[in-house]
Amino acid sequence: MVSPVLVGREKELARLVALVAGAPAVAVVEGEAGIGKSRLTAELLGGPAVAGLRVLSGACVQIREPFPLGPVVEALRGRAAELAGAALSPVAGALRELLPELAGVLPETPPPLDDRAAERHRVFRGLAEVLTALGPAVLAVEDLHWADGQTVEFLTYLMSVLPVLPGALRVVLTYRSEEASGAVRAITARAPDTITAEHLVLPPLDAAQTRVMASAILGAEEVTAAFAEHLCGRASGLPLAVQELLALLRDRGTLIRWEGGWARRALEELDVPSGVRASVQERVARLSPGAKEVAERAAVLQLPVPVALLSGPDVGAIDEVLGSGLFADTGGLVGFRHVLAAQAVYEAIPLGRRQALHAAAADTVRELRPVPLGRLAHHLRQAGRAGQWVTAAIEAAEQASRLGDDAEAARLLEDVLRGADLPAARRAELTVKLGWAALELLRPPPVADLLTGALEQDVPPPVRGHLRLLLALHLERTRTDGARIGEAFARAADDLAGEPGLAAWAMAGVGRPPSGLPPEESRQWLERALATLPAVADPAMRMLVLGKIAMIFVVMGDPRWAVLADDLLRETGGRPLLRREVNAYRSIGGAALFSGHHRRGRRLLTAAVEEGAEPDLRERLELRCLVNLAAADYFEGSWQGLPARLQELRDQFGDEPHERILVDIVTACLAVVQGRQEAALPSLLDAAAEARTRGQYDDLVLPLAMSLRLSAARGEPAAAIEAAVEAGRHWEASELWPVAVRALPALTEALLVAGRPGEAADVVARHAARLAGRDAPLAGPALAQARGLLAAADEQWARAAAEFTAAADAYETVPARYEAAQASEQAAACLFALDDPEAAVRLGRAVAVYADLGARWDLDRATGLGRRWGVRPAAQSAPAQAGNDHALSARQEQVARLAAEGLTNQEIARELFLSPKTVDKHVSAAMRKVGARSRTELARHLLPSD
């Protein structure tokens, strides 16, 4: 029993009608199961509001197929005639395998790309182009709570390009509130402001609305108020439950007419089941045996199928179920009207009969074209046909992998490996496929046990090498069992002698700190990896390994890192287009930052973000680069707006521990220097403890240095010194001296405050000896500052002042403005003791930088120093940042000039064939670099004045 009119959703429908009147537009319809999302969408798509628009619709399903983008494919297949003659670019040819039905109207398949993300992005661009060619149109995607990962990624991408698509597209999305993932909810979270948007959350019906619906269904002028009240309560206001309960009451004969309306017989005595499940099950029980069997078969199938595949010998059975209102007929395909009804029927089927029905369902879906491999595998498994299930599941996984759906491939393969008895060779082969597919995922499933189990079998060396390399990589992702990681890498390198790219990757993995090996042995592994590089024929693999070796070299102070970085820039032309190239830029750039190569690190990271491919190609990688760029801003002393950027990044990386820890560390350090020590200290210590637990010893330098300074200022440095000494052992074992030296001045000061001057001198001497001959930009200023502290402790004021002055000047060239200001303040203190008039100049310079940075803690201390010596620091301008790191790139200048001329982001995007998101990124970067607060100011900077 279905309501002939839409009830209780008039306002929501009016909002959707108004929305689709213009484009670009997106609507989200959210609500619990049975609340009426599909009915509301159907009313919109079947009404006059979409007249003149092409309606493209698809739905996600609970049983997934090894076919990504299922609802989008459903919306587009069968549109060949409408695309005939459309001027599609070559990029649309990437859709041929995904949409073979459109092959006749699509361009030829473009050459393959050696990058999963790049292939996926090309498919996304092709889909957007086809949607544009079909416009003006409305695309409806329902039940997104069941969406595959690529559907979510595509819709997120579509939001970013929707404003510049010329085809006037409207998008309607629906999902269940309680089952939608964060990624689904985020699809429209960052949509451009130029998209008209509506977000509707459907509430339950109230008693009055339930009364209207019941009257409409029963064809009566009105039902009694008591009946409606009871019905609303029993149905919890769910329209689907209202319909099902009315159908059940009708079947029971417990509905009677009363004074021109309808009433419930024996209101207080009738035990009406609540919700949908019981009512549906009772309605099915009242069907004839043949009709009941058809309902059960459809419940097991869980998808609409042709009548011939469902009816069996009793041809009237389907008509009986259709007449009951449980089934719907959509273009010759018959199935349950609502998935909740199908689930209710399925749960009532006894286990033995359910297994037999799954076997029959497997035979049924084999008749469909194309064969839905995911459903076939599901039914074979539930039918207990283990051998056939394994074959179908593997075939489905191979199809998923071929189409770039690594998440579904990994899920299917993991199911097979955990649930089937396989020969050793076959198990090893499938485990390798699972390992590589899982590594492509943002959050890979825990498969280390499967890799270990496969290694316990007798497998040939090359396969064993892949298994060991994958084991090491998966353990490395979780940062567990460091000794086991190194062993797996080392043994993989021996087994992979015939595959130089993978062998070099493994060798670099052995040598990566902290390796647990003696430094000399770690270096030998790195040398082996470097010597193997010329034999690596695949450019992408060579760039990946090169990036890993350069990253390790830079933190160890091996000057060859710069040569490798130059090789990377030369081979990529300064534009990292593939994901592995972007990752290499990020790895080297981030390591360079922490090693004191602030400018070079920033340039690599900026190139990864600004000069690379469209950001939608590798959004998470871009965000990781932005985390490192935020650290670069902290290191260099570019703190304006940094807290807000850090908070935004923290929101993005709440579930990514490595990046989140770094964001938390920089945030806490900023809070300390800005005068919020008490509030920031717990966060600082927590982030340091988590970094230590996860083995992120390079990230430990910042929180330990800040903790040492805080504890020294309070006169209680013992605990901080102990933590720093423990970390120092790890830094020394890994030869991370260029990184560790950043904390040397703070450790020296803490030891002196603790009354341990001999240890302080030893620490400085050990750092100086270990840093000799290494490429370490911070070594000079940090050692000079530490020596200044030692000299000042002995009241050797002239020597101390000279060391501090040299440190300040050297810090400014790094650049490290905050550290330079500290050294200038320390130099001023010594010069005051010498009664040197230069003291006020040095102090004034430090005060100016502190004020510019908002470093309240340091500013209070420096002004207090001036008061003690009877000096009010003269106003000094803060030293400008040297170099041209803040100069506009060619693309930024091109975009900024168009923006300065008055073009909108959408107009610039169309002009330069970029996405609005990319344009906004370039405009924001240009405004930041030239110091403009608005586009008007940007115009004054860039355009000639009359």
Side-chain angles (χ1 to χ4, degrees), residues 248-579:
L248 174 61
L249 292 172
R250 181 198 62 185
D251 291 349
R252 285 183 176 183
T254 55
L255 288 175
I256 60 172
R257 289 190 177 274
W258 183 259
E259 297 180 354
W262 287 84
R264 186 178 61 83
R265 178 186 292 169
L267 185 64
E268 299 303 326
E269 298 175 7
L270 181 62
D271 180 22
V272 180
S274 62
V276 175
R277 182 176 291 105
S279 65
V280 169
Q281 290 172 355
E282 186 170 341
R283 289 175 64 197
V284 171
R286 295 175 182 274
L287 296 173
S288 68
K292 180 180 179 182
E293 180 179 350
V294 166
E296 289 178 341
R297 291 179 64 186
V300 169
L301 281 167
Q302 288 196 31
L303 83 164
V305 294
V307 173
L309 295 179
L310 193 60
S311 61
D314 187 353
V315 292
I318 286 184
D319 290 336
E320 183 179 345
V321 187
L322 282 167
S324 75
L326 288 168
F327 275 11
D329 179 359
T330 54
L333 300 179
V334 178
F336 274 91
R337 186 178 298 278
H338 199 286
V339 67
L340 290 182
Q343 290 172 350
V345 174
Y346 182 82
E347 291 169 7
I349 302 172
L351 182 60
R353 175 159 174 74
R354 191 185 297 175
Q355 195 171 49
L357 287 171
H358 274 294
D363 294 335
T364 298
V365 298
R366 277 198 180 99
E367 300 300 317
L368 299 176
R369 292 296 179 270
V371 177
L373 293 172
R375 290 182 181 275
L376 178 60
H378 167 76
H379 291 309
L380 289 170
R381 188 178 193 184
Q382 298 301 318
R385 297 180 180 178
Q388 294 180 46
W389 161 59
V390 169
T391 301
I394 292 172
E395 188 178 351
E398 288 173 349
Q399 177 177 288
S401 181
R402 190 169 60 251
L403 294 170
D405 192 352
D406 295 300
E408 184 64 9
R411 184 190 70 80
L412 289 162
L413 289 169
E414 186 178 4
D415 278 353
V416 168
L417 289 165
R418 294 196 185 281
D421 186 17
L422 301 168
R426 185 61 165 155
R427 174 170 290 276
E429 175 193 349
L430 295 178
T431 306
V432 167
K433 290 182 178 181
L434 167 62
W436 288 119
L439 282 177
E440 294 289 334
L441 306 179
L442 180 62
R443 298 177 188 85
V447 297
D449 61 319
L450 292 172
L451 292 160
T452 302
L455 281 167
E456 292 171 355
Q457 308 295 316
D458 184 19
V459 294
V463 177
R464 191 167 62 239
H466 277 258
L467 289 167
R468 284 174 171 157
L469 176 60
L470 287 164
L471 176 61
L473 293 172
H474 278 274
L475 292 173
E476 193 176 48
R477 285 282 289 266
T478 57
R479 293 183 177 256
T480 56
D481 202 345
R484 192 177 173 203
I485 294 171
E487 179 189 4
F489 271 133
R491 299 182 72 180
D494 293 335
D495 288 331
L496 292 167
E499 299 182 68
L502 295 180
W505 188 352
M507 294 169 193
V510 182
R512 177 180 180 178
S515 66
L517 299 175
E520 185 58 37
E521 190 173 342
S522 291
R523 284 196 296 273
Q524 289 173 1
W525 279 101
L526 293 173
E527 296 297 340
R528 284 183 61 187
L530 190 60
T532 307
L533 266 184
V536 181
D538 177 23
M541 178 61 72
R542 188 168 61 252
M543 292 301 97
L544 180 143
V545 178
L546 183 150
K548 292 183 179 298
I549 298 172
M551 175 188 69
I552 299 167
F553 277 175
V554 71
V555 296
M556 296 172 65
D558 189 322
R560 289 177 293 176
W561 80 270
V563 177
L564 294 176
D566 287 342
D567 289 345
L568 175 66
L569 290 166
R570 184 173 54 255
E571 289 209 33
T572 60
R575 295 195 68 222
L577 297 177
L578 302 181
R579 183 175 50 179

Side-chain angles (χ1 to χ4, degrees), residues 623-908:
L623 286 170
R624 290 187 175 104
C625 291
L626 292 175
V627 169
N628 278 314
L629 282 170
D633 287 340
Y634 178 80
F635 288 149
E636 293 182 348
S638 299
W639 294 359
Q640 186 174 3
L642 184 55
R645 293 201 301 279
L646 288 167
Q647 183 57 55
E648 184 178 348
L649 289 166
R650 181 64 165 79
D651 294 341
Q652 294 287 342
F653 279 104
D655 55 354
E656 293 286 314
H658 188 278
E659 282 73 22
R660 175 178 50 76
I661 289 170
L662 179 54
V663 169
D664 287 348
I665 286 171
V666 177
T667 300
C669 288
L670 267 179
V672 168
V673 299
Q674 291 174 346
R676 302 192 302 276
Q677 289 92 340
E678 294 302 325
L681 187 57
S683 298
L684 189 72
L685 296 177
D686 288 347
E690 192 173 0
R692 189 181 297 109
T693 300
R694 289 177 51 82
Q696 295 175 215
Y697 289 104
D698 49 351
D699 291 343
L700 268 178
V701 176
L702 277 180
L704 287 179
M706 191 60 73
S707 297
L708 286 163
R709 290 187 63 211
L710 274 171
S711 64
R714 295 174 175 179
E716 302 172 346
I721 291 172
E722 183 180 350
V725 169
E726 178 197 350
R729 286 193 285 268
H730 292 281
W731 294 333
E732 184 165 8
S734 301
E735 297 191 279
L736 299 179
W737 294 106
V739 178
V741 74
R742 194 183 291 271
L744 176 62
L747 177 57
T748 304
E749 182 180 22
L751 287 167
L752 290 170
V753 169
R756 296 153 65 175
E759 290 180 53
D762 289 344
V763 165
V764 175
R766 186 165 66 253
H767 276 75
R770 298 294 190 273
L771 284 161
R774 295 181 189 267
D775 184 9
L778 290 172
L783 284 168
Q785 189 179 9
R787 288 178 181 132
L789 290 165
L790 294 175
D794 290 337
E795 298 186 359
Q796 299 177 31
W797 304 121
R799 180 183 170 191
E803 293 283 10
F804 287 137
T805 300
D809 294 343
Y811 275 132
E812 286 180 5
T813 64
V814 170
R817 297 176 68 219
Y818 180 53
E819 287 78 3
Q822 292 176 57
S824 286
E825 178 193 350
Q826 291 162 336
C830 298
L831 292 168
F832 278 129
L834 295 169
D835 200 22
D836 189 325
E838 181 67 19
V841 177
R842 277 285 168 183
L843 185 59
R845 187 175 300 177
V847 166
V849 174
Y850 292 151
D852 183 57
L853 295 177
R856 173 55 55 186
W857 181 36
D858 303 272
L859 184 61
D860 290 346
R861 184 187 60 248
T863 53
L865 172 64
R867 283 195 300 271
R868 287 196 300 275
W869 288 94
V871 172
R872 183 172 183 174
Q876 300 281 333
S877 60
Q881 298 185 50
N884 62 350
D885 292 336
H886 293 267
L888 300 187
S889 69
R891 176 65 91 181
Q892 286 169 352
E893 183 168 358
Q894 183 185 29
V895 170
R897 286 190 177 278
L898 291 173
E901 291 169 4
L903 273 70
T904 66
N905 284 2
Q906 288 68 37
E907 290 168 337
I908 298 170

